[in-house]
Amino acid sequence: NILEVGCDVGNTTYILGNAAVQKAKRVYSYEIDEKRIEEAKSLCRGLSCEFIKKDVYNEPWDVSNIGFVFIDASHENKDVALDLENAFKLVGKSGVVVIHDYGLVTRSGSSVKSVIESNEQYEVVQFLGEEKDWNNLGSGKVIDWEAVQVKLK
C-alpha cells in the first residue's frame, strides 16, 4: 500500500491512486486541511484512496502494510527530518520513500536537500521530476531537483 503525506488538492493522489488500482493496493493520504481533503476526494472518486485528517507532526503515523511513502508536506528542516524518520519506521530498508521539493529552499532557509545531505543515515537513490529552474509558484528559491527517492544506508 501507499502512504501520501500532504495531499493538497489531490493531483499526486490521483496518479498514485491509478497506480495502486493496477496493483490491487490502496492509497492512504494524510492531510491537515479539511477543504483540501474534500477537493482531493472529488478528484479521486472511484479510486482506492482513503483520506485521513491528521497533523503529521503531532499525531502518530498509524497506517500499516505500507511499501511506498510519498512526502509533500512542510519543508521546514525539523519537519522534513520527522517526515523521513516516520516514513522509514513504516517501510524499513525494503520500502520506497520519495520526497517532493528536494531542490526548494524556503523563505526561512530550510530545504529537503539540506536535511538529507546533513544526515548520514540517508542516501539519495534517484533524482526525479524537473531539474533546476522548475516553477515553484513563488514559494522559495529552487536550487536542485524537484523530488528524490531516498533510502537508509
Side-chain angles (χ1 to χ4, degrees):
N1 291 315
I2 297 169
L3 173 63
E4 175 186 37
V5 181
C7 74
D8 194 38
V9 297
N11 293 324
T12 303
T13 318
Y14 181 80
I15 294 167
L16 296 171
N18 277 292
V21 165
Q22 295 174 17
K23 300 286 186 181
K25 300 290 182 182
R26 186 164 187 78
V27 175
Y28 299 94
S29 187
Y30 288 160
E31 174 60 55
I32 195 166
D33 186 314
E34 188 67 42
K35 184 177 178 188
R36 288 180 174 175
I37 289 173
E38 292 308 312
E39 289 180 56
K41 281 181 180 178
S42 177
L43 179 64
C44 297
R45 188 172 289 118
L47 298 175
S48 185
C49 299
E50 181 178 337
F51 296 91
I52 302 164
K53 186 173 193 272
K54 183 176 290 283
D55 177 351
V56 296
Y57 303 108
N58 293 300
E59 297 177 58
W61 295 21
D62 51 2
V63 292
S64 58
N65 195 25
I66 301 296
F68 180 94
V69 177
F70 180 82
I71 303 167
D72 190 8
S74 169
H75 304 312
E76 295 303 314
N77 288 346
K78 66 180 179 49
D79 296 337
V80 171
L82 187 58
D83 287 338
L84 289 167
E85 178 183 323
N86 284 328
F88 283 109
K89 283 180 184 175
L90 289 177
V91 302
K93 285 193 168 199
S94 62
V96 175
V97 174
V98 171
I99 189 162
H100 193 247
D101 293 327
Y102 174 76
L104 177 68
V105 178
T106 66
R107 290 184 185 103
S108 69
S110 292
S111 75
V112 171
K113 180 178 181 174
S114 67
V115 172
I116 293 169
E117 288 181 345
S118 68
N119 193 319
E120 293 181 5
Q121 69 177 332
Y122 302 127
E123 180 180 350
V124 172
V125 175
Q126 184 174 3
F127 294 98
L128 305 164
E130 301 291 330
E131 294 184 52
K132 293 180 185 178
D133 300 324
W134 48 274
N135 183 351
N136 65 4
L137 304 176
S139 58
K141 178 182 176 187
V142 176
I143 59 167
D144 213 321
W145 286 83
E146 184 177 9
V148 291
Q149 179 185 346
V150 182
K151 73 174 187 176
L152 289 171
K153 289 184 181 177

